[in-house]
C-alpha cells in the first residue's frame, strides 16, 4: 500500500504543481491586464487632449503640447504631471505583479503594449514635431520619387508648415526605405500619419519581444520582469507610440544583433548593426564593444572570426547598396554636417555659455572648446567601459551594460543637440541587466527625462530663470542627467563594478 501511495503521490504532485502555476499565471495575467487597461485610459485622456483629429492639419505650422493644451501653463503642468504620476504608479505595480514565468502573463504584457500603441496612434506628437517631417519624407520618396536626403519636404508641399521643412532629413538612407508603408495611404496625408505612427509602434513591440528573448536566455526567470521594464515604461511608451520617434527603429536592429550574438550567430551581427547605423548614425557606437565582446567570449574564436568576416562582407555590400540608392554627390550629407555644428539644450552648451559669459571667450571658440572637451571626456569614459568589458571577458550581460552606459555617457558628455528621446537607447538595454541598480538607473532616466520638455518650455515663467540665463540652460539638463549619474555611481559602489554586473549570479530572480 505504501508503494502504491508513493507512486500516486509522484504522479499527482507534478499535476498539482502545474495547476498551481496555471492558477498563479491566470491571476497575474488578470492583474497585468487591469493595470494595462488603467494605463490605456490615461493614455486615452492624453490623446483626447492632443489628438490628430482636432489639431491636424490646423493653421500655420505643426504644433506642440504648449499650443494644444492652451496658455494656462500651471494647469497644463498639473495635468501632465498628474498623468505621468498615475502612469508611473501603474508601471511600478506592473513590475511588482509579474512573476518568473507564465504564458498568460506574457500575453497580458504584450497585449497591453499593443493597446497602448493603438490608443496613441491618434495622438498628435506633443513633443516631437519632427514626426511630421518623417511623414513628409516618406511621401517624398514613396509618393513623389524624390531623394529625402537632399529634397526637403517643402519641395513637394504639405498640408501644414513644419519645423525644418526647408531642410532634408538628417537620417541614414535605410530609414527612408523602411518608410514604405506610407504607400498604403495613397493621397491621404492624414491616413499616412496614422499608418506610420502605428508602424513605429510595431518596432516598440518587436523590441519588447527581443528583450524578453535575450533576458530569457541570459537570466532565466526574470524575462517577464525585463519585458515589463520596457513595455510598461511610460517614458518609452509616450516617446515611441505617442511621439513616433525613429530611435526605436534604430535600436530594434541593435537588439536583433544582440539576440544573434547571444545565440552565436556571428554572421548576422554586423549586417544588423550596419542596418541600425544606416537609420541613425549613432548606432555605430555599439559596434566596437560588440566586436570586442565576441572576440573575448566566443567559445570557438576561429569560428567567430571567420563568420564575422563573412558578416562584415555582407554588411559592406548591404551598406554600399543602400547608400548608393540615395547618393547625390557630396551634398547628400550636407544637412548632417550642418546639424552636427548646432548646439541646443545639452551639457556642451552649458559649458560653451559658461566660457562665453564668464571667461569672455568668443562664441566660435567657446563652442569649439566645449565640443572637443565633451568629445574627449566621452572618449575617456568609453575607453574605461571597454576596459571593464575586457576584464569581464566579454560576457553578454557585461556587454549589454557596457553599451547602455556608453550611450548614457555619450548623451551626457558629447551630444551638443540633446533631446530626451535619445535616452530610449540605453532604456532598450538596461532591462536585460539584472539587479536593483539597473532598475534604479531606468527609473532615474525615465522620471528625469519625462519632465524635460515641461521645464524647457515653461522655465521662463519663473523670474529666477529670466534673470539667470545660465541656470535656465541647466534647469532641464539637470534632472535629465544627474539622477541617472547618481544611480549609476551608487550602483558602482554597491556592486564594485562600473558595469553593475557582479561576477556571480544575480542576487534576485525578479530584479
Amino acid at each position: 500500500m505504501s508503494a502504491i501511495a508513493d507512486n500516486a503521490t509522484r504522479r499527482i504532485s507534478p499535476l498539482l504543481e502545474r495547476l498551481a502555476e496555471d492558477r498563479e499565471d491566470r491571476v497575474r495575467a488578470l492583474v497585468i491586464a487591469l493595470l494595462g487597461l488603467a494605463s490605456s485610459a490615461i493614455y486615452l485622456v492624453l490623446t483626447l487632449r492632443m489628438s490628430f483629429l482636432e489639431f491636424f492639419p490646423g493653421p500655420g505650422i505643426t504644433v506642440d503640447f504648449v499650443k494644444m493644451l492652451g496658455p494656462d501653463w500651471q494647469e497644463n503642468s498639473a495635468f501632465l504631471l498628474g498623468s505621468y504620476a498615475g502612469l508611473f504608479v501603474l508601471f511600478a505595480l506592473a513590475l511588482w505583479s509579474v512573476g518568473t514565468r507564465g504564458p498568460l502573463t506574457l500575453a497580458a504584457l504584450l497585449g497591453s503594449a499593443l493597446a497602448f500603441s493603438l490608443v496613441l496612434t491618434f495622438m498628435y506628437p506633443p513633443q516631437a514635431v519632427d514626426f511630421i517631417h518623417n511623414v513628409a519624407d516618406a511621401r517624398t520618396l514613396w509618393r513623389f520619387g524624390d531623394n529625402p536626403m537632399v529634397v526637403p519636404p517643402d519641395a513637394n508641399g504639405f498640408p501644414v508648415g513644419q519645423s525644418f521643412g526647408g531642410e532634408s532629413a538628417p537620417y541614414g538612407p535605410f530609414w527612408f526605405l523602411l518608410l514604405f508603408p506610407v504607400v498604403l495611404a495613397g493621397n491621404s496625408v492624414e491616413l499616412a500619419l496614422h499608418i506610420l505612427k502605428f508602424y513605429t509602434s510595431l518596432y516598440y513591440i518587436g523590441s519588447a519581444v527581443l528583450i524578453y528573448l535575450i533576458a530569457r536566455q541570459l537570466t532565466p526567470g526574470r524575462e517577464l520582469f525585463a519585458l515589463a521594464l520596457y513595455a510598461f515604461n511610460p517614458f518609452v511608451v509616450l516617446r515611441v507610440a505617442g511621439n513616433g520617434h525613429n530611435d526605436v527603429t534604430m535600436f530594434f536592429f541593435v537588439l536583433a544583433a544582440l539576440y544573434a550574438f547571444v545565440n552565436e550567430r556571428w554572421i548576422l551581427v554586423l549586417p544588423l548593426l550596419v542596418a541600425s547605423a544606416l537609420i541613425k548614425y549613432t548606432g555605430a557606437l555599439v559596434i566596437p564593444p560588440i566586436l570586442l565582446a565576441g572576440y573575448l567570449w566566443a567559445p570557438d574564436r576561429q569560428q567567430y572570426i571567420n563568420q564575422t568576416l563573412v558578416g562584415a562582407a555582407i554588411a559592406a555590400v548591404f551598406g554600399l547598396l543602400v547608400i548608393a540608392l540615395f547618393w547625390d554627390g557630396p551634398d547628400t550629407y550636407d544637412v548632417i554636417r550642418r546639424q552636427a555644428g548646432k548646439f541646443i539644450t545639452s551639457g556642451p552648451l552649458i559649458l560653451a555659455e559658461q566660457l562665453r559669459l564668464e571667461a569672455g571667450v568668443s562664441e566660435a571658440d567657446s563652442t569649439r572648446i566645449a565640443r572637443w572637451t565633451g568629445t574627449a571626456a566621452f572618449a575617456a569614459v568609453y575607453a574605461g567601459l571597454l576596459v571593464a568589458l575586457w576584464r569581464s571577458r566579454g560576457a553578454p550581460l557585461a556587454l549589454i551594460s557596457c553599451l547602455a552606459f556608453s550611450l548614457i555617457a555619450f548623451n551626457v558628455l558629447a551630444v551638443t543637440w540633446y533631446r530626451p528621446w535619445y535616452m530610449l537607447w540605453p532604456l532598450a538595454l538596461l532591462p536585460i541587466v539584472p539587479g536593483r541598480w539597473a532598475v534604479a538607473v531606468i527609473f532615474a532616466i525615465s522620471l528625469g527625462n519625462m519632465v524635460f520638455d515641461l521645464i524647457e518650455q515653461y522655465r521662463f515663467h519663473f523670474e529666477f530663470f529670466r534673470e539667470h540665463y545660465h541656470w535656465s540652460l541647466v534647469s532641464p539638463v539637470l534632472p535629465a542627467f544627474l539622477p541617472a549619474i547618481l544611480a549609476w555611481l551608487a550602483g558602482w559602489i554597491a556592486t564594485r563594478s562600473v558595469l553593475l554586473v557582479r561576477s556571480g549570479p544575480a542576487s534576485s530572480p525578479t530584479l
Side-chain angles (χ1 to χ4, degrees):
M1 289 294 293
S2 176
I4 296 175
D6 290 343
N7 186 45
T9 300
R10 283 195 300 271
R11 290 174 178 272
I12 293 173
S13 293
L15 179 61
L16 292 176
E17 290 175 4
R18 192 176 303 112
L19 289 173
E21 290 175 0
D22 290 345
R23 181 178 181 279
E24 182 180 354
D25 185 26
R26 287 196 297 271
V27 171
R28 291 184 183 279
L30 178 60
V31 172
I32 294 295
L34 291 173
L35 293 172
L37 185 63
S39 297
S40 297
I42 297 176
Y43 290 129
L44 179 60
V45 171
L46 290 166
T47 299
L48 291 174
R49 289 288 302 272
M50 300 175 287
S51 71
F52 274 128
L53 300 177
E54 181 175 354
F55 292 102
F56 190 89
I61 62 171
T62 51
V63 296
D64 56 16
F65 73 95
V66 174
K67 297 181 182 69
M68 286 188 283
L69 295 180
D72 191 336
W73 70 273
Q74 292 175 313
E75 180 184 341
N76 298 343
S77 299
F79 168 68
L80 290 175
L81 289 174
S83 300
Y84 298 162
L87 289 168
F88 271 96
V89 168
L90 294 169
F91 175 37
L93 290 173
L95 295 177
W96 181 76
S97 300
V98 296
T100 56
R101 287 182 178 84
L104 294 178
T105 304
L106 173 62
L109 286 168
L110 293 176
S112 295
L114 179 60
F116 304 158
S117 301
L118 289 170
V119 170
L120 292 169
T121 293
F122 300 94
M123 175 184 278
Y124 195 124
Q127 295 127 343
V129 293
D130 57 331
F131 173 75
I132 308 299
H133 201 295
N134 292 341
V135 176
D137 293 329
R139 287 168 54 82
T140 296
L141 175 62
W142 291 100
R143 173 151 179 75
F144 299 105
D146 291 328
N147 183 354
M149 293 187 71
V150 295
V151 177
D154 288 354
N156 291 304
F158 202 73
V160 298
Q162 56 195 288
S163 300
F164 309 106
E167 293 190 12
S168 53
Y171 301 126
F174 189 47
W175 165 242
F176 304 111
L177 292 177
L178 292 175
L179 294 175
F180 65 89
V182 75
V183 299
L184 300 173
N187 294 327
S188 173
V189 175
E190 288 83 352
L191 183 57
L193 291 166
H194 297 311
I195 288 174
L196 288 183
K197 193 82 170 308
F198 183 70
Y199 174 67
T200 301
S201 295
L202 293 180
Y203 288 97
Y204 147 68
I205 296 172
S207 296
V209 171
L210 286 169
I211 289 168
Y212 172 85
L213 293 173
I214 296 169
R216 185 176 64 178
Q217 185 153 341
L218 297 181
T219 55
R222 65 174 300 278
E223 57 266 26
L224 288 175
F225 187 79
L227 171 60
L229 270 173
Y230 183 78
F232 242 88
N233 187 332
F235 177 76
V236 172
V237 174
L238 282 170
R239 287 296 176 182
V240 175
N243 285 282
H245 295 298
N246 64 355
D247 301 75
V248 69
T249 309
M250 174 190 79
F251 237 81
F252 170 82
F253 289 95
V254 173
L255 289 168
L258 288 171
Y259 182 66
F261 179 95
V262 300
N263 285 282
E264 300 177 27
R265 296 174 183 173
W266 314 118
I267 198 170
L268 298 176
V269 173
L270 275 176
L272 288 166
L273 293 177
V274 168
S276 171
L278 289 176
I279 296 171
K280 293 189 80 167
Y281 302 107
T282 311
L285 283 173
V286 307
I287 295 177
I290 290 178
L291 290 178
L292 173 63
Y295 178 79
L296 296 170
W297 180 70
D300 186 333
R301 184 168 292 175
Q302 189 59 51
Q303 182 187 47
Y304 165 77
I305 293 172
N306 293 340
Q307 290 196 16
T308 299
L309 288 174
V310 175
I314 295 171
V317 172
F318 168 76
L320 289 173
L321 285 175
V322 171
I323 292 171
L325 287 173
F326 293 85
W327 181 253
D328 194 23
D331 294 345
T332 308
Y333 290 94
D334 271 359
V335 67
I336 296 171
R337 285 190 288 267
R338 288 197 300 271
Q339 183 159 323
K342 295 178 180 179
F343 280 65
I344 199 172
T345 316
S346 64
L349 176 62
I350 293 170
L351 176 58
E353 289 302 296
Q354 184 72 13
L355 291 170
R356 187 177 66 85
L357 296 174
E358 300 297 331
V361 180
S362 69
E363 183 173 355
D365 287 342
S366 65
T367 55
R368 188 181 305 111
I369 293 170
R371 182 188 306 280
W372 285 108
T373 300
T375 301
F378 165 68
V381 174
Y382 191 55
L385 290 169
L386 289 176
V387 169
L389 179 61
W390 178 280
R391 290 176 176 171
S392 75
R393 301 181 184 274
L397 286 175
L399 166 63
I400 292 169
S401 183
C402 174
L403 296 176
F405 290 115
S406 294
L407 292 167
I408 293 172
F410 180 69
N411 281 326
V412 173
L413 299 170
V415 171
T416 61
W417 183 283
Y418 177 73
R419 297 287 83 193
W421 54 86
Y422 298 168
M423 283 297 188
L424 288 170
W425 314 335
L427 287 177
L429 296 165
L430 286 169
I432 303 169
V433 180
R436 59 181 57 88
W437 290 109
V439 176
V441 176
I442 289 172
F443 269 86
I445 291 173
S446 302
L447 290 167
N449 284 274
M450 201 79 168
V451 299
F452 182 98
D453 300 277
L454 277 173
I455 297 171
E456 189 176 52
Q457 293 295 326
Y458 292 141
R459 56 189 160 171
F460 292 113
H461 286 282
F462 294 91
E463 184 177 353
F464 176 82
F465 292 125
R466 291 196 300 269
E467 295 178 352
H468 299 84
Y469 173 65
H470 183 75
W471 283 107
S472 73
L473 296 177
V474 173
S475 59
V477 173
L478 200 64
F481 296 154
L482 185 59
I485 293 171
L486 293 177
W488 181 13
L489 291 175
W492 184 353
I493 294 169
T495 62
R496 298 181 182 179
S497 168
V498 67
L499 300 178
L500 309 190
V501 177
R502 296 181 185 272
S503 57
S507 58
S508 170
T510 58
L511 291 179

